[in-house]
Amino acid sequence: MTIGDITPKKERKSRRSKHVVDDTAPLLPKRQDENAGYDEFNGASFTGAVFNLSTTIVGAGIMALPATMKVLGLILGIAMIIFMAFLTDASIEFLLRFSRAGKTTSYGSLMGDAFGKYGRIFLQICVLVNNIGVLIVYMIIIGDVLSGTSSSGVHHAGVLEGWFGEHWWNGRTFVLIVATLGIFSPLACFKRIDSLRFTSALSVALAVVFLVITVGIAIIKLISGTIMMPRLLPDVTDLTSFWRLFTVVPVLVTAYICHYNVHSIDNELEDSTQIKPVVRTALALCSAVYIMTSFFGFLLFGDSTLDDVLANFDTDLGIPYGSLLNDAVRVSYAAHLMLVFPIVFYPLRLNMDGLLFPSARPLALSNMRFAFTTVGLITLIFLGANFIPSIWDAFQFTGATAAVCLGFIFPAAVTLRDRHSIATKKDKILAIFMIVLAVFSNVVAVYSDAYAMFKKNSVTEPTA
């Protein structure tokens, strides 16, 4: 499906360097006359594209990265963040190169070109699973931060509860309704991803605010001698602790997933040759944010670091204005997630429409279909955020299934398929490595999580 007006290709002078069939479709177009253009739109800028891709990358996954340092230690943990950035760059390069060769303008159409109709459908399903799961996680975190949460009999007060006390209007459900109607829905109604460049820039700035405050708190406490340098290497004492190292893989995979938006951003660039520098700039920026957040978050809380490091910021930091800084950290990141929401929602809506209406006219030309798809998906996400108990169960599931397919298995499979005979021997070796690493690591991660859950249940049952 496409988003945009029907404009003859010869009138698209501002994008003359781009060989396209459909400028913004994430799906396999059905007719040649579905060329998409935008009135009075001369193409997205390099900076806007970097912000949009960076916002796609930096989501809630960053909150789990300090906990990966607790499992891996600082040296191995930072090395893995850098390694995943290079692997992500290689997988996106595969997507772009084979898209150029097949003259496809979307991830879905690339999968359709390589594997036919069912390859495209499988890709769309994975985007739906991944993005719905991620957006539910975003909404859950926003609810936890603003309204509080209770787990294992312990209540963690939300920011609004701390400021005003308990009231019906700062309860979780009402706050999420207001956020959905006042923020998520209006931003989700834009039909061009470049329209979100300013909110994306603001979201990146808010992530930096969170990082700066975290770094400042850690340095103050380090100077005062109230914290010590954390472990540099993983604590491996037996086979179980060794297998546990692989549980961080789904989190690291989820942290870099942005592949479903690369084509949309590429299609709107004024100069399509800029897409590789855009990808590498965004990956470098996000990797720097990830490394600093992981290092200083783990430095600040050590082995007490929780799976969601935001939850650590409801305790006494032991420094002046600690309560104010706690609130600033949580509010800045909740606001960041609110602005990330429409960037992740954009490809979700397009792929849902393509899955349900593969032969219909462009989505932008059907206001009713656009409205119903948007309302339906937002309602589903809202309900999921109110009924799914654990955000990290959602992360483990999406990271070990749909996310790893989108990020590594599908790009590698397209490379091995090599319909246009452009893959080198090095490409195919790297593709095989990606698939083997992705499958092995995530199978072990799922097994380790399941084993830990089974062991925990077997221990608690006799005392019940």
Side-chain angles (χ1 to χ4, degrees), residues 82-257:
I82 295 171
F83 172 73
M84 289 299 295
F86 279 104
L87 206 61
T88 300
D89 179 61
S91 66
I92 293 175
E93 199 275 332
F94 283 159
L95 291 182
L96 293 172
R97 180 146 45 101
F98 283 89
S99 294
R100 298 286 191 264
K103 297 181 174 62
T104 57
T105 58
S106 70
Y107 202 163
S109 57
L110 174 61
M111 286 292 290
D113 180 55
F115 299 104
K117 172 185 175 182
Y118 293 104
R120 175 176 59 84
I121 291 174
F122 193 26
L123 179 279
Q124 291 168 339
I125 292 172
C126 285
V127 171
L128 297 185
V129 171
N130 179 79
N131 290 30
I132 288 175
V134 166
L135 291 176
I136 287 173
V137 167
Y138 289 0
M139 202 174 283
I140 290 173
I141 292 178
I142 291 166
D144 290 348
V145 167
L146 297 180
S147 298
T149 182
S150 298
S151 61
S152 302
V154 178
H155 180 69
H156 298 273
V159 172
L160 295 178
E161 184 182 338
W163 289 351
F164 305 107
E166 288 190 52
H167 299 282
W168 65 268
W169 50 266
N170 60 18
R172 182 187 191 85
T173 301
F174 186 77
V175 166
L176 288 181
I177 289 174
V178 172
T180 299
L181 296 179
I183 300 174
F184 301 145
S185 297
L187 292 178
C189 289
F190 286 111
K191 295 183 178 181
R192 191 174 64 234
I193 198 167
D194 186 62
S195 301
L196 298 168
R197 64 190 181 277
F198 297 116
T199 57
S200 293
L202 180 57
S203 74
V204 172
L206 288 167
V208 172
V209 169
F210 160 80
L211 175 61
V212 168
I213 296 174
T214 303
V215 171
I217 294 170
I219 291 175
I220 291 171
K221 298 195 72 172
L222 191 63
I223 293 174
S224 65
T226 55
I227 56 174
M228 304 295 293
M229 278 297 293
R231 279 184 297 104
L232 298 180
L233 297 171
D235 183 16
V236 179
T237 56
D238 53 22
L239 190 59
T240 301
S241 59
F242 172 75
W243 292 126
R244 185 169 175 266
L245 299 180
F246 290 91
T247 62
V248 305
V249 173
V251 176
L252 289 169
V253 169
T254 303
Y256 278 105
I257 291 299

